[in-house]
Amino acid sequence: MNHKIVLFTLGRVVLIEAALLVLPMAVSLLYGERCALSFALTIVLAVVTGSLLCLPCRGGRGTSSIKDGFMIVALAWIVLSAIGALPFVFSKEIPSYIDAFFETVSGFTTTGATILADVEALSRGMLFWRGFTHWIGGMGILVFVVMLVNTPDRSINILKAEMPGPTVDKLVPKSKDTARTLYIIYTALTALEVIFLLFGGMSLFDSVVHALSTAGTGGFGAYNASAANFSPYIQWVLTVFMFLFAINFNLFYLILLGRMRDVFRNTEFKAYLAIVLVSVAVITAEIMPLYRTFSDSLRQAAFQVASIISTTGFITADFTVWTPLSKVLLLGLMFVGGCAGSTAGGLKVSRVAILFKMMRRELRHTLRPRVVDVIKMDGRRLDEQTAHSVAVYFALYILSIAVLIVSLSFSRFDLETNLFAAISCFNNVGPGFGMAGPVGNYSPYPPLFKLLLSAGMLLGRLEIYPMLLLFMPAAWRKR
């Protein structure tokens, strides 16, 4: 490992976090809130920490490897969360540091799981910071760093380690330009959502907070009822944008280039669209007896399907009282997640599609052993290395969730609660079933189990490998 590159980049990340903390501090000052001092103190500590990491590593840093990229990403997200939790503690709005760390990890990983029973008790500055952590973590803080500053050579290694999905493609030749293009699209869609929410009569503050949370597919809102008390218009706006932010951002770039035909030829997008439409149709039919009209049933079904598959976690209804088939479908959507290259969590639609194609190939090979059958995605042959990587990732994915469930079983809670807490946190969904359902929260878990769930959120958001690398002695050896 190139320690100088790792420490220098970590320092840059912390300094950028200090700069980002100015925004919630400004919101606090605008509303005359005392928590502005908490943000100011955190900014000072972040500047000192970042400077101490950067200064000894100036000059002679060399080039970065894929291993360095994974280490930078894993350590950066932990440090980012550790510092980002401090405003909650300093302001005493979340007195326990472990609770604040859980809330911050949930924010940056865009999980949306919370330990707060009364969200409305938070100050405006803290509400903005919670939503802003979703926006920062949605596209990835390291992507933001690559866009802004001079990063180590081969910074595509950082993008590969942080961006979700089987592969990461450059949209343009340079990694910095790729990161800039992604953030322009991301920011434009966020601003567009703010405008649509304002048209629905939502205040500017609420519009910004909910747009930030939707863009990051996180689900931290400003109200205890989440989105249940919003007008049908606002719920439809949130539904549409949750659906959009779970689409691969490469497709938005193709739209800007006028290549619409390539968008609708994309295998993952077609599968994603089909999953959403079928799920909405089935759940709408299933919950019709629970709601007054077809339009209400359709709106509730569409909202929860978009919220769960995008792993946003906004709530308009207690879906734990829906029919068994509806709950099974929502559970399946928690695992599937959104598209690769989006801000959504989960296994990713592209991986699910590849796994089904691999299973179909194996079945065909059983019947006709001599036939050579290749897997195709978007009309192109999928190389065997990618197919193998997807299979290995799926095995690690199931194993990681299983280990998390077993670890949580040592708590005093029932199987349903632990099972869905593990699934929901690892897939970065937020709400699940049982105690961690739409009307519950994670505060009853003891501190140790909150740390385990925080680790699960980081494992899921960074797609396992960067976090596992931290525990391999070979990764820490100097090169």
Side-chain angles (χ1 to χ4, degrees):
M1 183 175 70
N2 189 326
H3 291 81
K4 285 192 173 182
I5 275 186
V6 172
L7 291 175
F8 183 79
T9 310
L10 280 177
R12 287 290 184 91
V13 169
V14 173
L15 290 174
I16 287 176
E17 183 178 21
L20 294 172
L21 281 161
V22 172
L23 278 176
M25 183 178 71
V27 171
S28 299
L29 290 171
L30 182 66
Y31 286 96
E33 296 170 336
R34 294 177 61 186
C35 64
L37 183 61
S38 301
F39 287 113
L41 182 56
T42 306
I43 290 169
V44 172
L45 289 173
V47 169
V48 172
T49 303
S51 300
L52 290 174
L53 288 170
C54 283
L55 289 176
C57 303
R58 286 187 176 277
R61 295 188 300 276
T63 60
S64 66
S65 64
I66 186 64
K67 181 174 70 175
D68 296 330
F70 277 98
M71 293 296 287
I72 288 168
V73 167
L75 293 171
W77 279 72
I78 294 171
V79 172
L80 197 73
S81 301
I83 294 174
L86 293 177
F88 293 114
V89 179
F90 290 153
S91 65
K92 292 184 170 47
E93 295 193 38
I94 303 181
S96 164
Y97 180 79
I98 290 179
D99 282 354
F101 182 75
F102 178 94
E103 195 80 7
T104 309
V105 170
S106 179
F108 281 125
T109 59
T110 73
T111 304
T114 184
I115 50 84
L116 296 169
D118 186 9
V119 173
E120 295 172 27
L122 291 180
S123 60
R124 293 293 185 96
M126 291 301 168
L127 286 172
F128 179 85
W129 177 233
R130 287 171 84 240
F132 196 35
T133 56
H134 282 332
W135 196 84
I136 297 167
M139 189 60 68
I141 184 61
L142 274 300
V143 177
F144 192 69
V145 172
V146 169
M147 177 186 70
L148 287 182
V149 301
N150 292 323
T151 51
D153 294 340
R154 299 154 125 198
S155 51
I156 188 64
N157 291 328
I158 293 175
L159 299 185
K160 284 180 179 178
E162 188 175 52
M163 290 296 287
T167 59
V168 173
D169 298 321
K170 289 185 180 181
L171 301 179
V172 289
K174 292 184 178 180
S175 298
K176 180 177 284 191
D177 293 336
T178 297
R180 187 175 291 117
T181 301
L182 288 170
Y183 258 96
I184 288 172
I185 296 169
Y186 189 46
T187 305
L189 283 172
T190 306
L192 189 63
E193 184 181 357
V194 170
I195 293 168
F196 274 100
L197 291 174
L198 288 171
F199 281 146
M202 187 177 271
S203 69
L204 178 60
F205 177 82
D206 286 347
S207 297
V208 171
V209 168
H210 287 87
L212 293 173
S213 294
T214 307
T217 61
F220 277 161
Y223 299 98
N224 294 330
S226 188
N229 294 334
F230 294 155
S231 67
Y233 167 83
I234 289 176
Q235 289 180 0
W236 275 116
V237 169
L238 292 174
T239 300
V240 170
F241 278 94
M242 285 189 291
F243 173 83
L244 291 176
F245 280 109
I247 295 173
N248 192 325
F249 276 72
N250 286 12
L251 299 187
F252 292 116
Y253 184 68
L254 292 178
I255 291 172
L256 293 177
L257 297 178
R259 294 166 56 183
M260 288 297 297
R261 292 180 66 184
D262 290 337
V263 173
F264 287 101
R265 285 175 180 170
N266 184 269
T267 303
E268 183 181 39
F269 176 71
K270 289 189 293 184
Y272 171 66
L273 185 60
I275 291 169
V276 169
L277 292 177
V278 170
S279 299
V280 170
V282 172
I283 293 177
T284 299
E286 283 284 304
I287 65 174
M288 276 283 288
L290 299 175
Y291 297 95
R292 291 173 297 177
T293 63
F294 170 77
S295 61
D296 285 344
S297 301
L298 177 63
R299 173 167 46 83
Q300 295 287 359
F303 188 96
Q304 289 311 147
V305 166
S307 179
I308 296 299
I309 197 169
S310 68
T311 68
T312 304
F314 281 136
I315 301 297
T316 56
D318 183 4
F319 53 76
T320 61
V321 300
W322 286 2
T323 64
L325 178 57
S326 299
K327 290 190 283 188
V328 167
L329 282 174
L330 292 178
L331 175 60
L333 296 179
M334 287 183 186
F335 282 99
V336 173
C339 299
S342 71
T343 60
L347 188 58
K348 303 297 180 298
V349 176
S350 59
R351 285 200 183 97
V352 174
I354 291 170
L355 285 169
F356 271 103
K357 287 175 181 286
M358 290 173 68
M359 286 187 288
R360 186 178 63 181
R361 183 178 68 172
E362 289 304 309
L363 288 172
R364 286 179 176 177
H365 184 71
T366 301
L367 295 172
R368 303 171 66 184
R370 295 182 181 180
V371 174
V372 178
D373 194 0
V374 298
I375 299 173
K376 289 187 177 181
M377 289 287 286
D378 306 329
R380 297 192 301 268
R381 179 173 178 171
L382 188 75
D383 64 273
E384 288 302 315
Q385 179 58 43
T386 301
H388 175 75
S389 298
V390 169
V392 171
Y393 178 82
F394 181 67
L396 284 172
Y397 171 86
I398 297 298
L399 181 62
S400 299
I401 293 177
V403 169
L404 188 56
I405 293 169
V406 171
S407 301
L408 292 176
S409 68
F410 289 96
S411 70
R412 57 187 172 84
F413 301 108
D414 58 81
L415 175 62
E416 182 188 30
T417 294
N418 291 328
L419 177 68
F420 289 108
I423 292 170
S424 182
C425 286
F426 192 88
N427 287 301
N428 305 135
V429 178
F433 296 90
M435 184 190 71
V439 295
N441 60 73
Y442 290 78
S443 60
Y445 272 107
L448 175 61
F449 295 99
K450 286 174 184 170
L451 290 176
L452 283 171
L453 289 168
S454 298
M457 288 186 269
L458 287 167
L459 272 169
R461 171 58 182 86
L462 300 180
E463 303 207 321
I464 303 173
Y465 292 108
M467 296 301 295
L468 288 186
L469 202 64
L470 292 178
F471 299 97
M472 294 180 63
W476 295 90
R477 292 186 190 129
K478 199 170 184 179
R479 64 179 172 91

